[in-house]
Amino acid sequence: MAEENHDATTINGSIHSHTNGVQPMLSSKDKAKVDELGNEAKEEQNTESVFQITVKLPHKPYEIQVMVSTQEQVQDLRQSIVELPDTFQYSCFHLEHNGTRVNDFVELSEVKGLEAGSEIRLIEDPYTEKEARMHMIRIRDLIGAAGDRVDTLLGISAGLSLHDAIVPVQELDSNVRNGKPSKNTLGDSHAMADYDLNAPAKHETILPSAQDHAPKTVKSISVSPWNPPLHHLRQKGHLLYLQLTTNEGEQHQITAHVSGFFVNKSSNSKFDPLPRPAPKCYAAHSLLALIAKLSPSFESCFKTLQEHNSRNDPLVKFQITNAIPSNPWLVSSNDSSLTNHQPDITRTQETYLMSGIENAETLRDWNEEFQSTRELPRESVQDRVFRERITSKLFADYNEAAARGAMMVARGEISPLNPTENRDAQIFVYNNIFFSFGADGVGTFTSEGGNDAARVAVGKDVTGVKLVNQLDIPGLFTPGTVVVDYLGKRLVAQSIVPGIFKQREPGENQIDYGGVEGRDVVAENEAFVPVFSKLSKSLRIKRHDVWDKEGKKHTLEGSVETKGLLGTDGRKYILDLYRLTPLDVLWLESYWSEISATDIKSQEHNYPHRMAVLRPELIEAYWRYRMGEYVKEEVTRRQKPNGTKFDGDASSKSINSEAQPSSITSIEDHTSLSINGERKPMITDDSDGTNTNSIHGETSPDNNQQDRIDISDFSLALNPDVYCAQSPQTEEEKNELARDEADVRAVCKYLRDDTMSELIHDLKEGDVGFPMDGQSLSRLLHKRGINVRYLGILASLAKEQDSRLIALNGLAIQEMIARCFKHIANRYMKGIPAVFASLCISQLLNCLLGADFNKTPKVLVDEDLQTLYPEADWSFLDTSPQALRLDIQTQVWLRYRYQLDKDWHTNIRQLQLLREVSIKLGLQLTARDYQFSPDSSSNGSSEPLANGKATAPTLANHQSTNGLGGKKKKKSCENESRSNTPDSVSSSSPTTFEADDIVNIAPIIKDASPKSILAEEALEAGRISMMQNQKELGQELLLESLSLYEQIYGILHPEVARVYHQLSMLYYQMDEKNAAVELAHKAVIVSERTLGLDSNETILNYLHLGLVEHANGKTKIALVYVRHALELWKMIFGSDHPDLITTINNAAVMLQHLKHYHDSRAWFEISLTMCEKLSGKNSIHTATLCFQLAQALALDQEAKGAVNRMKEAYSIFHARLGPDDRNTKESESWLEQLTQNAVSIAKHAKDVQARRLRRIQLTPRVTLGTRPQPQVGQSNADAGMGRDSRSSISMDLRSVDELMRFIEGGGDTTKRTPTKKRTTRNNPKRRGGAIGIPA
């Protein structure tokens, strides 16, 4: 993966990223893809026609107008109709055009004679029992009668969004600059006025605020106890019976009939389902219309309900269908109004309403659905869209069903198929899904590490299935696979492959290709070779020989552990994908030795298992690295005969990229994406940090042919079965295996010597966004091809570096502790019943985080309940803080080879570690101030840091750092004393955590859902077109990609949140402010609901939202979003994150825009203080901020302080860049002018004070601006969409005299004297984490 620098022009404290006019070099393949997708977009635009039609209705308002597209299906038109307010009541109907019924599953373009102005008639259909049940469910949701649902899978407040609570929707639509009263934007104040950066994080940050209850339209509506209809009544068309209680208190018994709904004569004690006589014979085709007839207040209440719902963004309330909603780790207490549990008899009836009496409607043949979907045609774009849309929905449904079944298995609610086997070996079938435990129940992994190896293997297997699904090789099929971690148990859920349980004939193998019984028996089948060879080529895997226990040689296309099975349906299935790549030889040689019965003690120092494999991303990066070396060698060889001087990097642009085989860069991504989903164009994708335009680019036509290098002769493929006890028989075979071993060893060496050092370098230099928490750190490592087991080595490397990387050291240590605690907690929970899980967790958390508060925590167990489970493992009751610390220390050493300090438990960040542990175990805790020690509150006012760094200074308590020596402004200690006040501890709560604090434990789900290749291709093509300045085509492709993402994934999906963010960034760069703002709001809501309220991506989305709102003129609202992001940032990391400098500078620039010069200057001072700690007092970065602070001091009438800061900037520039550098000269010029004007400014202070209120008229060229926050693992170039390989510091065009005239009250600064055009200069010591030099 390549990270690029960017050319940044700084404008009065702002940075605007831009390209330097260099056009990207595209391969012919890339150009062909752009042209193809561009032509498709144009064709679709030409063929697609949007027009208005009239829909005739059987009831008021009798007709409506609907805008349709010829590319829409009729069912899309149906959905549009039922969502309109005037047509809510319809659900069971069909459409007719010119008297002919229209098929719901055809496109509108296929409806004969349909054109603009056409009339379509809506015809009400008779109900079936299923349609009556679906109608009942829909009307209950529509009128707000559904109440709260308790879902065992989704957890508490699943899919919650706080977006509308931060700034209400009504306020977003108002002009805040005109002073409309609102939260945090009253009068002349601003959101950052009272903000204390060093204050403890508040748990209220991720809790929803109390809202008005929705108005009730009816008291209750439910299924009647008279159900189901008797046989003779079913013959008359009765489907089901309902019971309605109106707001007026009247109770009505309703019959659902094939013709509609009517009020019957039944009561609670008497059954008579026939219609009432006149005048009370109310009937209607729709239940909604019938309720309106029965309740006089219904229509007004229903209208009020709609107005209440419209207060929120629709995305906040939409049901998530194609993704698992995110579960917040902190939730409101049980006695909160937000968790008020209301009686609703229909909650218990919803299963019947959705699935029918027999519950047969939910039983699906998952495997057949998966495979038939994979066999759908993929020739045209429409075919691909339909196929990927069905695939996405199918995987979402399967993941949910598998997770529900796994939870039932873990709780012991499903009987095993083999009850006589031991617990770990038992298998289960539920809902046509096969379940087994991720443990070594039958001894398969005894020599590999036992249960630890088995647990890792199933995790690697689901990752391998996802990889194969992403490659989408025709003719190769995978079973639906999901891994669920729940209550300490790991379960594997797989769709049932036809024939997998079939008893074979004597002499036949159970497996058709690959290892049958480990490596002892190996099967070969030529039918599997073509499809396996395609997979091997994509994964850079070598066709190689293996030997069975008899010494017989077999040639396989993949690892011997990877199996092929010919199903009874004739399809070729690939199974056991946990060993797709070779082993990490260097790691195993260092930290693993074979298990020996005579040397058990030595095994205590072993790595827990032998399943240490290399990541596919690393192999892909190594392939690119080796190909680059090959190209340089070829170029050098060509140049030797004539002695021509050659620049390898330049000439290598002529490589024929057509010969490059298809590959996969990431398990999470089929294409090269950054950690946040930000796609990195293939023309810049490079893992070794060099410019790979050489691989994908083309030279000019003049020298294209003579410099073109054919890479078809280059090959690199690895043997995945080396170091796996293979037994070659001949000398030639031994030599071949030795060469294979050398190749694998070289990859392992590349990982240790190059990949990790490059990551450390990039993070040190600020070339990529810095990780915020364990999730973002793990994803960053995986993108680089680094396994998480290298966290210890990474922490050691970071500890030896500068102060910026000390934060990485602390984060890595925290992640190792959290992961080891997870393993320990799972070990304890695995042996206890589910009802004791909260007791176990609370005891372990008290030992980990609450030992300072109570050194001997004990939990009280109901002994009567305990006696019901005589076989349970109660060892968790004996756990002590000392024993847990020793266990964690041992596990960190075994798993990560890192030695924790003896006092490591005193240096952890309690709140952040609690969050990491909760996320990894699926815990949902009561949101309250947890007392971690007797003299500090949970959020750590005395917050100890794992990296040993001091926290950032506060704004409220911040001392002036204007360079005036001992002259410091007075400060108040009020905030400090308040933050150090300990919370009161109840005498009934002797421990930090109680069992009641663990409100819920949710499952952790790992799925194998592939990503949409088509949508990503369209997005990539749009980005490339924009880079080529083909704006019209690029915008068409970007809009097309957005449409594809929404069609395929649905709106509420993590991938859609990421594309919203990317497109918002692009529109922001194109100055399409309104579109950027709209997409940024959507990105925030969707990421909150699917990724988490406090996920690192959500934080970055909030920061970007503040950026675009500021650019759109709503700076006060922007500061509200920035403040919320900072609060989240403190919760997941703390107040000293290296990338906070960018955010603080952006806030300071926004405050300058609002003319809050003193507050702005204070924030600049905070960023300078942080920068000095991270980069040193003599870094270029510090000089940049000194320059910026000098400006802010001048605007705040601190002339002397401005001179002192400018002196510091000049001194650093002079020492680091030399006297001739433009930055040095510019700072010298500023210093002279500031010095000359200091006396004049002092004399005219009163006049300046009056004139400062005058409105400043600045041109857009010098308007205050902000800098995009780079995503974790994303280069700063991509954050600013710049593509310049250089990094530079440059000034704006406003002179010193202009600012001096403003300070002295000179008025409009737009009347500038002509200035010489300035060019950008290179900065040899760029630090990406801080802001560029202002002018």
Side-chain angles (χ1 to χ4, degrees), residues 1143-1244:
T1143 301
I1144 292 173
N1145 262 36
N1146 285 347
V1149 171
M1150 292 177 188
L1151 289 170
Q1152 273 193 5
H1153 181 83
L1154 294 175
K1155 302 181 184 178
H1156 291 281
Y1157 298 116
H1158 186 73
D1159 290 346
S1160 172
R1161 158 259 190 96
W1163 282 100
F1164 278 127
E1165 289 170 347
I1166 291 175
S1167 66
L1168 175 61
T1169 303
M1170 294 180 65
C1171 182
E1172 288 177 343
K1173 291 178 180 178
L1174 290 171
S1175 304
K1177 292 190 175 183
N1178 295 318
S1179 68
I1180 299 295
H1181 225 8
T1182 301
T1184 297
L1185 292 176
C1186 285
F1187 195 113
Q1188 200 166 11
L1189 178 57
Q1191 262 195 329
L1193 289 167
L1195 288 171
D1196 197 32
Q1197 308 306 309
E1198 287 281 356
K1200 193 172 181 181
V1203 170
N1204 290 336
R1205 285 302 181 191
M1206 194 58 71
K1207 280 182 181 178
E1208 294 180 24
Y1210 170 73
S1211 299
I1212 298 172
F1213 283 139
H1214 188 277
R1216 299 294 299 274
L1217 302 179
D1220 297 329
D1221 187 84
R1222 175 174 171 267
N1223 296 311
T1224 307
K1225 293 180 178 179
E1226 196 75 19
S1227 58
E1228 183 181 18
S1229 175
W1230 270 85
L1231 181 59
E1232 292 174 359
Q1233 291 294 329
L1234 286 172
T1235 304
Q1236 292 172 5
N1237 285 278
V1239 177
S1240 175
I1241 291 173
K1243 289 180 180 179
H1244 296 85

Side-chain angles (χ1 to χ4, degrees), residues 981-1171:
T981 303
D983 292 343
S984 60
V985 182
S986 171
S987 59
S988 62
S989 304
T991 56
T992 302
F993 299 93
E994 299 176 358
D996 290 343
D997 290 326
I998 290 80
V999 185
N1000 182 44
I1001 301 179
I1004 305 298
I1005 303 170
K1006 300 178 181 179
D1007 64 73
S1009 309
K1011 295 185 178 180
S1012 168
I1013 301 174
L1014 177 63
E1016 291 181 350
E1017 286 177 352
L1019 178 62
E1020 185 67 23
R1023 290 176 60 123
I1024 292 175
S1025 297
M1026 297 301 298
M1027 291 165 59
Q1028 292 179 317
N1029 288 328
Q1030 300 178 21
K1031 292 187 176 180
E1032 184 176 350
L1033 174 61
Q1035 287 187 340
E1036 289 178 9
L1037 288 170
L1038 292 176
L1039 290 175
E1040 181 68 22
S1041 71
L1042 177 60
S1043 174
L1044 290 173
Y1045 270 97
E1046 292 179 338
Q1047 286 184 61
I1048 292 169
Y1049 292 112
I1051 296 177
L1052 295 172
H1053 193 279
E1055 292 303 314
V1056 178
R1058 292 174 182 127
V1059 80
Y1060 281 152
H1061 174 79
Q1062 293 176 60
L1063 293 180
S1064 179
M1065 291 281 288
L1066 286 169
Y1067 280 117
Y1068 172 73
Q1069 295 298 324
M1070 294 187 296
D1071 206 28
E1072 298 279 350
K1073 297 177 182 177
N1074 291 331
V1077 168
E1078 180 183 356
L1079 289 169
H1081 281 286
K1082 289 184 176 182
V1084 164
I1085 296 173
V1086 179
S1087 63
E1088 279 188 322
R1089 300 195 65 193
T1090 60
L1091 295 170
L1093 295 173
D1094 57 350
S1095 74
N1096 71 291
E1097 292 184 57
T1098 299
I1099 293 174
L1100 293 171
N1101 285 340
Y1102 264 115
L1103 291 174
H1104 174 68
L1105 177 57
L1107 192 72
V1108 296
E1109 286 285 13
H1110 167 66
N1112 205 32
K1114 296 185 177 180
T1115 303
K1116 287 191 176 183
I1117 281 184
L1119 286 171
V1120 176
Y1121 291 129
V1122 170
R1123 176 172 178 147
H1124 181 67
L1126 288 173
E1127 283 292 339
L1128 294 175
W1129 211 327
K1130 284 198 294 186
M1131 178 169 285
I1132 76 169
F1133 184 89
S1135 57
D1136 56 344
H1137 191 275
D1139 284 352
L1140 263 177
I1141 295 176
T1142 301
T1143 301
I1144 292 173
N1145 262 36
N1146 285 347
V1149 171
M1150 292 177 188
L1151 289 170
Q1152 273 193 5
H1153 181 83
L1154 294 175
K1155 302 181 184 178
H1156 291 281
Y1157 298 116
H1158 186 73
D1159 290 346
S1160 172
R1161 158 259 190 96
W1163 282 100
F1164 278 127
E1165 289 170 347
I1166 291 175
S1167 66
L1168 175 61
T1169 303
M1170 294 180 65
C1171 182

Side-chain angles (χ1 to χ4, degrees), residues 1241-1260:
I1241 291 173
K1243 289 180 180 179
H1244 296 85
K1246 292 184 179 179
D1247 184 50
V1248 171
Q1249 184 66 25
R1251 296 188 183 185
R1252 278 180 61 194
L1253 302 177
R1254 183 179 305 171
R1255 179 176 177 82
I1256 313 171
Q1257 301 294 334
L1258 303 179
T1259 66

Side-chain angles (χ1 to χ4, degrees), residues 82 130 242 348 382 508 556 677 774 794 853 868 1218 1237 1242 1262 1271:
V82 300
K130 179 180 178 180
L242 309 177
T348 61
Q382 289 79 11
E508 284 187 344
L556 298 178
L794 189 72
F853 182 72
L868 297 177
N1237 285 278
V1262 295
Q1271 299 277 336

Side-chain angles (χ1 to χ4, degrees), residues 10-25:
T10 310
I11 303 176
N12 194 30
S14 65
I15 283 193
H16 295 266
S17 304
H18 60 87
T19 60
N20 66 336
V22 179
Q23 294 299 316
M25 301 293 294

